Amino acid sequence: VNRVLDKNKVYLLQGFVKIDSLATLTIPAGTLILGEKSSQGSLIVTRGGKLIADGTANEPIVFTSQQPAGLRSRGDWGGVVVCGNAPNNRPGNSFLVEGNIAEYAGGPDANDNSGILRYVRIEFPGIAYTPNNEINGLTLAGVGKGTVIEHIQVSYSGDDGFEFFGGTVDCKYLISYKTLDDDLDTDFGYTGKIQFAVVYRDPFLSDVSRSEAFESDNDGTGTGALPFTEPVFSNVTVVGPKRLATDVSPTNFQSDFYYGIHHRRQTRHSLFNSVIMGFDEGGIILEGSTLPGDTANFAYRNNVFTGMTKLIEPVTYNA
Protein backbone atom coordinates (compact mmCIF):
# COMPACT_ATOMS: atom_id res chain seq x y z
CA VAL A 1 0.00 0.00 0.00
CA ASN A 2 1.42 3.39 -1.00
CA ARG A 3 1.52 6.07 1.67
CA VAL A 4 2.40 9.78 1.87
CA LEU A 5 3.39 11.18 5.26
CA ASP A 6 2.38 14.58 6.63
CA LYS A 7 5.32 16.86 7.42
CA ASN A 8 3.25 18.54 10.15
CA LYS A 9 3.24 15.32 12.16
CA VAL A 10 6.06 13.53 14.00
CA TYR A 11 6.39 9.81 13.28
CA LEU A 12 7.80 7.03 15.48
CA LEU A 13 9.56 3.94 14.12
CA GLN A 14 8.79 0.97 16.37
CA GLY A 15 10.73 -2.18 15.54
CA PHE A 16 11.39 -3.00 11.88
CA VAL A 17 9.08 -0.85 9.78
CA LYS A 18 9.13 -2.24 6.22
CA ILE A 19 8.21 -0.82 2.85
CA ASP A 20 6.97 -3.90 1.06
CA SER A 21 7.73 -4.89 -2.49
CA LEU A 22 5.82 -2.75 -5.05
CA ALA A 23 4.84 -0.23 -2.32
CA THR A 24 6.08 3.38 -2.13
CA LEU A 25 6.51 5.50 0.99
CA THR A 26 6.76 9.24 0.31
CA ILE A 27 8.24 11.47 3.03
CA PRO A 28 7.81 15.20 2.37
CA ALA A 29 10.55 17.75 2.95
CA GLY A 30 10.74 18.90 6.57
CA THR A 31 9.35 15.69 8.11
CA LEU A 32 10.71 14.50 11.48
CA ILE A 33 10.90 10.74 12.15
CA LEU A 34 11.98 9.28 15.50
CA GLY A 35 13.48 5.86 16.13
CA GLU A 36 12.24 4.10 19.28
CA LYS A 37 15.11 2.98 21.49
CA SER A 38 13.43 0.07 23.27
CA SER A 39 12.42 -1.68 20.01
CA GLN A 40 15.49 -0.58 18.00
CA GLY A 41 13.25 1.13 15.47
CA SER A 42 14.45 0.94 11.85
CA LEU A 43 13.10 1.78 8.40
CA ILE A 44 13.66 -0.97 5.81
CA VAL A 45 12.97 -0.77 2.10
CA THR A 46 12.53 -4.32 0.83
CA ARG A 47 13.42 -5.39 -2.72
CA GLY A 48 10.96 -3.82 -5.13
CA GLY A 49 9.78 -1.20 -2.66
CA LYS A 50 10.54 2.51 -2.96
CA LEU A 51 11.32 5.30 -0.53
CA ILE A 52 10.82 8.85 -1.79
CA ALA A 53 12.48 11.00 0.88
CA ASP A 54 13.12 14.17 -1.08
CA GLY A 55 14.04 16.97 1.29
CA THR A 56 15.52 20.38 0.54
CA ALA A 57 18.43 22.40 1.89
CA ASN A 58 16.01 24.51 3.92
CA GLU A 59 13.72 21.63 4.91
CA PRO A 60 15.75 18.45 5.33
CA ILE A 61 14.10 15.19 6.34
CA VAL A 62 15.44 14.21 9.77
CA PHE A 63 15.63 10.72 11.27
CA THR A 64 16.76 10.89 14.89
CA SER A 65 16.47 9.29 18.31
CA GLN A 66 13.22 9.30 20.26
CA GLN A 67 15.23 10.22 23.36
CA PRO A 68 15.00 13.86 24.51
CA ALA A 69 17.53 16.30 23.08
CA GLY A 70 20.64 16.23 25.26
CA LEU A 71 20.10 12.57 26.22
CA ARG A 72 20.54 11.05 22.76
CA SER A 73 23.46 8.76 22.07
CA ARG A 74 24.89 6.49 19.39
CA GLY A 75 22.87 3.35 18.76
CA ASP A 76 19.62 4.70 20.14
CA TRP A 77 17.82 3.18 17.14
CA GLY A 78 18.61 1.04 14.11
CA GLY A 79 18.89 3.17 10.99
CA VAL A 80 17.72 3.27 7.38
CA VAL A 81 18.18 0.17 5.20
CA VAL A 82 17.49 0.06 1.46
CA CYS A 83 17.43 -3.33 -0.32
CA GLY A 84 17.45 -3.35 -4.11
CA ASN A 85 17.70 -5.64 -7.13
CA ALA A 86 21.16 -4.65 -8.41
CA PRO A 87 24.01 -7.18 -8.77
CA ASN A 88 26.35 -8.38 -6.05
CA ASN A 89 28.93 -11.17 -5.87
CA ARG A 90 27.12 -13.53 -3.52
CA PRO A 91 25.97 -17.01 -4.64
CA GLY A 92 22.65 -16.72 -6.43
CA ASN A 93 23.15 -12.93 -6.66
CA SER A 94 21.25 -12.33 -3.43
CA PHE A 95 21.97 -12.38 0.29
CA LEU A 96 20.49 -11.64 3.69
CA VAL A 97 21.22 -8.15 4.94
CA GLU A 98 23.03 -8.00 8.26
CA GLY A 99 21.24 -7.01 11.43
CA ASN A 100 19.05 -10.14 11.63
CA ILE A 101 16.63 -8.30 9.38
CA ALA A 102 16.03 -11.36 7.20
CA GLU A 103 15.57 -9.22 4.11
CA TYR A 104 17.07 -10.35 0.81
CA ALA A 105 18.93 -7.90 -1.39
CA GLY A 106 20.44 -8.09 -4.84
CA GLY A 107 19.40 -9.22 -8.30
CA PRO A 108 20.16 -8.79 -12.01
CA ASP A 109 19.05 -5.18 -12.57
CA ALA A 110 21.99 -2.72 -12.45
CA ASN A 111 19.60 0.18 -13.10
CA ASP A 112 17.12 -0.79 -10.39
CA ASN A 113 15.31 2.14 -8.77
CA SER A 114 14.65 2.11 -5.02
CA GLY A 115 13.57 5.75 -4.90
CA ILE A 116 15.13 9.04 -3.75
CA LEU A 117 17.03 10.03 -0.62
CA ARG A 118 18.01 13.67 -0.88
CA TYR A 119 18.71 16.20 1.87
CA VAL A 120 18.27 13.65 4.65
CA ARG A 121 19.89 13.65 8.11
CA ILE A 122 20.23 10.37 10.03
CA GLU A 123 21.25 10.92 13.66
CA PHE A 124 22.18 8.57 16.55
CA PRO A 125 21.58 5.29 14.63
CA GLY A 126 23.71 2.16 14.36
CA ILE A 127 23.16 -0.98 16.41
CA ALA A 128 25.56 -3.89 16.80
CA TYR A 129 23.36 -6.90 17.59
CA THR A 130 26.29 -9.30 17.70
CA PRO A 131 29.86 -9.08 16.31
CA ASN A 132 29.72 -8.56 12.51
CA ASN A 133 25.95 -8.31 12.67
CA GLU A 134 24.92 -4.67 12.72
CA ILE A 135 22.68 -2.00 11.25
CA ASN A 136 24.52 1.11 10.06
CA GLY A 137 23.39 4.71 9.68
CA LEU A 138 22.50 4.18 6.02
CA THR A 139 22.77 0.66 4.63
CA LEU A 140 22.49 0.28 0.85
CA ALA A 141 22.22 -3.38 -0.16
CA GLY A 142 22.03 -4.24 -3.85
CA VAL A 143 20.81 -0.73 -4.67
CA GLY A 144 20.80 0.19 -8.36
CA LYS A 145 21.81 3.22 -10.42
CA GLY A 146 18.22 4.32 -10.87
CA THR A 147 18.17 5.34 -7.19
CA VAL A 148 19.05 8.93 -6.19
CA ILE A 149 21.28 9.27 -3.10
CA GLU A 150 22.43 12.87 -2.57
CA HIS A 151 23.05 15.28 0.33
CA ILE A 152 22.93 12.71 3.14
CA GLN A 153 24.44 13.32 6.57
CA VAL A 154 24.89 10.49 9.08
CA SER A 155 25.84 11.76 12.54
CA TYR A 156 26.81 9.87 15.71
CA SER A 157 26.34 6.36 14.33
CA GLY A 158 26.97 3.46 16.69
CA ASP A 159 28.42 1.43 13.82
CA ASP A 160 29.37 2.46 10.25
CA GLY A 161 28.15 5.70 8.75
CA PHE A 162 27.46 4.34 5.25
CA GLU A 163 27.78 0.71 4.13
CA PHE A 164 27.34 -0.58 0.58
CA PHE A 165 26.65 -4.29 0.14
CA GLY A 166 26.98 -4.81 -3.59
CA GLY A 167 24.90 -2.72 -5.94
CA THR A 168 25.69 -0.03 -8.48
CA VAL A 169 24.16 3.15 -7.06
CA ASP A 170 26.11 6.42 -7.45
CA CYS A 171 26.07 8.92 -4.57
CA LYS A 172 26.97 12.58 -4.12
CA TYR A 173 27.42 14.88 -1.15
CA LEU A 174 27.75 12.48 1.78
CA ILE A 175 28.78 13.46 5.31
CA SER A 176 29.84 11.01 8.01
CA TYR A 177 30.17 12.87 11.31
CA LYS A 178 31.66 11.37 14.47
CA THR A 179 30.85 7.76 13.58
CA LEU A 180 31.96 5.02 15.98
CA ASP A 181 33.25 2.45 13.47
CA ASP A 182 33.96 2.97 9.74
CA ASP A 183 32.64 5.83 7.66
CA LEU A 184 32.44 4.51 4.08
CA ASP A 185 32.36 0.71 3.95
CA THR A 186 32.09 -1.17 0.62
CA ASP A 187 31.90 -4.90 -0.09
CA PHE A 188 30.13 -7.80 -1.87
CA GLY A 189 30.73 -6.35 -5.34
CA TYR A 190 29.73 -2.71 -4.98
CA THR A 191 30.68 -0.90 -8.21
CA GLY A 192 29.21 2.59 -7.85
CA LYS A 193 30.84 6.02 -7.82
CA ILE A 194 30.81 8.38 -4.83
CA GLN A 195 31.74 12.02 -5.29
CA PHE A 196 31.95 14.91 -2.83
CA ALA A 197 32.07 13.45 0.68
CA VAL A 198 33.29 14.62 4.08
CA VAL A 199 34.39 12.45 7.02
CA TYR A 200 35.01 13.99 10.45
CA ARG A 201 36.18 11.79 13.30
CA ASP A 202 35.81 12.26 17.06
CA PRO A 203 39.38 11.82 18.44
CA PHE A 204 38.09 10.21 21.62
CA LEU A 205 35.64 7.72 20.15
CA SER A 206 36.60 4.63 18.16
CA ASP A 207 35.50 1.01 17.84
CA VAL A 208 37.41 -2.01 19.17
CA SER A 209 37.28 -3.44 15.62
CA ARG A 210 39.57 -0.53 14.55
CA SER A 211 37.92 2.55 13.11
CA GLU A 212 38.76 3.69 9.57
CA ALA A 213 37.45 6.25 7.11
CA PHE A 214 37.32 3.68 4.29
CA GLU A 215 37.04 -0.10 4.63
CA SER A 216 36.67 -2.22 1.50
CA ASP A 217 36.49 -5.97 0.81
CA ASN A 218 35.60 -8.01 -2.24
CA ASP A 219 33.78 -10.33 0.14
CA GLY A 220 34.15 -11.60 3.68
CA THR A 221 36.88 -14.14 2.91
CA GLY A 222 38.74 -12.47 0.05
CA THR A 223 37.65 -14.65 -2.85
CA GLY A 224 37.75 -13.56 -6.50
CA ALA A 225 33.95 -13.64 -6.78
CA LEU A 226 32.52 -11.40 -9.51
CA PRO A 227 31.70 -8.61 -9.81
CA PHE A 228 34.69 -7.34 -7.85
CA THR A 229 34.08 -4.66 -5.27
CA GLU A 230 35.29 -1.75 -7.36
CA PRO A 231 34.06 1.61 -6.00
CA VAL A 232 35.43 4.90 -7.26
CA PHE A 233 35.64 7.75 -4.74
CA SER A 234 36.55 11.30 -5.70
CA ASN A 235 36.65 14.70 -3.99
CA VAL A 236 36.58 13.32 -0.44
CA THR A 237 37.91 15.17 2.62
CA VAL A 238 38.73 13.05 5.67
CA VAL A 239 39.63 14.66 9.01
CA GLY A 240 41.06 11.91 11.20
CA PRO A 241 41.60 11.80 14.97
CA LYS A 242 44.99 13.54 15.03
CA ARG A 243 44.27 17.25 15.14
CA LEU A 244 47.87 18.40 15.72
CA ALA A 245 51.23 17.15 14.47
CA THR A 246 52.27 16.81 18.13
CA ASP A 247 49.38 14.48 19.01
CA VAL A 248 50.71 11.24 20.49
CA SER A 249 48.46 8.21 21.08
CA PRO A 250 46.70 7.73 23.42
CA THR A 251 47.20 11.18 24.95
CA ASN A 252 45.13 13.15 22.48
CA PHE A 253 43.12 10.45 20.72
CA GLN A 254 42.06 6.84 21.22
CA SER A 255 44.32 4.06 20.04
CA ASP A 256 41.66 2.02 18.20
CA PHE A 257 41.89 4.14 15.06
CA TYR A 258 43.61 2.36 12.18
CA TYR A 259 44.56 3.52 8.68
CA GLY A 260 42.58 6.10 6.74
CA ILE A 261 41.97 3.48 4.03
CA HIS A 262 41.81 -0.25 4.72
CA HIS A 263 42.08 -1.86 1.28
CA ARG A 264 41.79 -5.63 1.72
CA ARG A 265 40.44 -8.99 0.55
CA GLN A 266 40.84 -8.43 -3.21
CA THR A 267 38.89 -5.19 -3.36
CA ARG A 268 39.60 -2.72 -6.19
CA HIS A 269 38.86 0.46 -4.28
CA SER A 270 40.02 3.67 -6.07
CA LEU A 271 40.38 7.23 -4.78
CA PHE A 272 40.97 10.50 -6.66
CA ASN A 273 41.35 14.22 -5.86
CA SER A 274 40.96 13.75 -2.12
CA VAL A 275 42.54 14.74 1.21
CA ILE A 276 43.14 12.22 4.01
CA MET A 277 44.60 13.61 7.22
CA GLY A 278 45.28 12.72 10.81
CA PHE A 279 45.45 8.91 11.08
CA ASP A 280 48.35 7.88 13.33
CA GLU A 281 48.87 4.45 11.75
CA GLY A 282 48.96 5.88 8.24
CA GLY A 283 47.10 6.63 5.04
CA ILE A 284 46.58 3.28 3.29
CA ILE A 285 47.03 -0.34 4.26
CA LEU A 286 46.95 -2.87 1.42
CA GLU A 287 45.91 -6.12 3.03
CA GLY A 288 45.86 -9.24 0.85
CA SER A 289 48.50 -11.43 -0.73
CA THR A 290 47.29 -10.78 -4.28
CA LEU A 291 47.24 -7.00 -4.04
CA PRO A 292 50.87 -5.92 -4.56
CA GLY A 293 50.85 -7.39 -8.08
CA ASP A 294 47.29 -6.29 -8.81
CA THR A 295 47.70 -2.50 -8.76
CA ALA A 296 46.55 -2.14 -12.38
CA ASN A 297 43.02 -2.79 -11.15
CA PHE A 298 42.74 0.14 -8.74
CA ALA A 299 44.18 3.63 -8.50
CA TYR A 300 45.01 6.40 -6.03
CA ARG A 301 45.75 9.64 -7.88
CA ASN A 302 45.92 13.36 -7.07
CA ASN A 303 45.40 12.79 -3.35
CA VAL A 304 46.99 14.48 -0.34
CA PHE A 305 47.88 12.47 2.77
CA THR A 306 49.09 14.44 5.77
CA GLY A 307 49.53 14.25 9.54
CA MET A 308 50.54 10.55 9.54
CA THR A 309 53.57 8.54 10.55
CA LYS A 310 53.56 6.62 7.24
CA LEU A 311 51.64 6.70 3.99
CA ILE A 312 51.25 3.09 2.85
CA GLU A 313 51.87 -0.36 4.25
CA PRO A 314 51.44 -3.68 2.42
CA VAL A 315 50.63 -6.73 4.55
CA THR A 316 49.50 -10.26 3.85
CA TYR A 317 45.97 -11.10 4.82
CA ASN A 318 45.26 -14.66 5.91
CA ALA A 319 41.54 -15.28 5.45
Side-chain angles (χ1 to χ4, degrees):
V1 177
N2 296 336
R3 184 173 180 185
V4 179
L5 302 187
D6 181 349
K7 76 172 186 178
N8 297 308
K9 297 180 179 179
V10 176
Y11 295 87
L12 179 65
L13 296 171
Q14 295 179 300
F16 291 155
V17 178
K18 300 180 182 181
I19 303 173
D20 291 333
S21 178
L22 304 180
T24 298
L25 174 65
T26 301
I27 303 177
T31 303
L32 176 62
I33 300 175
L34 307 178
E36 186 177 59
K37 184 171 183 176
S38 61
S39 65
Q40 301 175 332
S42 305
L43 180 63
I44 302 164
V45 184
T46 64
R47 286 193 300 183
K50 286 186 179 180
L51 173 61
I52 308 297
D54 200 0
T56 68
N58 292 328
E59 288 191 293
I61 294 165
V62 178
F63 292 84
T64 192
S65 167
Q66 181 197 20
Q67 299 298 102
L71 298 178
R72 296 168 180 165
S73 61
R74 292 166 179 80
D76 272 353
W77 61 291
V80 178
V81 181
V82 183
C83 301
N85 280 298
N88 61 74
N89 63 17
R90 307 306 296 149
N93 206 27
S94 67
F95 60 97
L96 285 168
V97 181
E98 67 181 347
N100 292 329
I101 300 170
E103 294 297 336
Y104 280 96
D109 186 2
N111 295 311
D112 187 43
N113 182 353
S114 296
I116 300 171
L117 279 81
R118 184 159 42 201
Y119 286 106
V120 174
R121 295 207 321 258
I122 302 171
E123 305 170 345
F124 304 101
I127 293 174
Y129 292 94
T130 59
N132 300 315
N133 191 20
E134 310 95 3
I135 290 183
N136 310 285
L138 178 59
T139 302
L140 299 172
V143 177
K145 283 187 180 294
T147 309
V148 175
I149 307 289
E150 296 180 355
H151 297 282
I152 310 296
Q153 178 170 335
V154 175
S155 301
Y156 312 110
S157 175
D159 195 62
D160 294 343
F162 299 85
E163 184 151 10
F164 299 79
F165 292 99
T168 57
V169 65
D170 299 327
C171 304
K172 289 184 177 181
Y173 310 110
L174 306 183
I175 298 174
S176 181
Y177 184 74
K178 294 190 176 182
T179 290
L180 178 64
D181 195 7
D182 306 316
D183 295 283
L184 300 162
D185 195 331
T186 54
D187 44 34
F188 289 156
Y190 172 65
T191 58
K193 295 178 174 63
I194 296 174
Q195 187 176 26
F196 308 120
V198 174
V199 170
Y200 187 89
R201 301 296 316 205
D202 184 333
F204 302 106
L205 196 71
S206 58
D207 191 66
V208 293
S209 67
R210 308 298 293 271
S211 297
E212 300 147 335
F214 300 88
E215 183 178 87
S216 191
D217 304 271
N218 193 47
D219 61 19
T221 57
T223 73
L226 300 176
F228 278 103
T229 299
E230 202 165 2
V232 177
F233 290 88
S234 57
N235 305 98
V236 181
T237 300
V238 174
V239 181
K242 288 183 66 175
R243 297 293 188 258
L244 302 171
T246 55
D247 283 350
V248 178
S249 177
T251 305
N252 295 316
F253 61 93
Q254 285 190 353
S255 60
D256 282 330
F257 286 100
Y258 203 34
Y259 278 69
I261 302 170
H262 196 173
H263 182 300
R264 66 181 182 179
R265 297 174 178 168
Q266 296 208 60
T267 182
R268 296 180 177 183
H269 178 288
S270 295
L271 181 70
F272 302 96
N273 307 327
S274 297
V275 178
I276 314 294
M277 67 184 82
F279 280 83
D280 187 53
E281 291 285 343
I284 310 168
I285 185 166
L286 303 180
E287 188 172 340
S289 58
T290 63
L291 290 175
D294 195 29
T295 54
N297 294 308
F298 65 92
Y300 291 88
R301 298 192 185 118
N302 301 326
N303 302 307
V304 175
F305 294 85
T306 185
M308 304 172 188
T309 55
K310 49 194 166 186
L311 172 59
I312 187 169
E313 178 177 346
V315 301
T316 298
Y317 173 75
N318 183 3

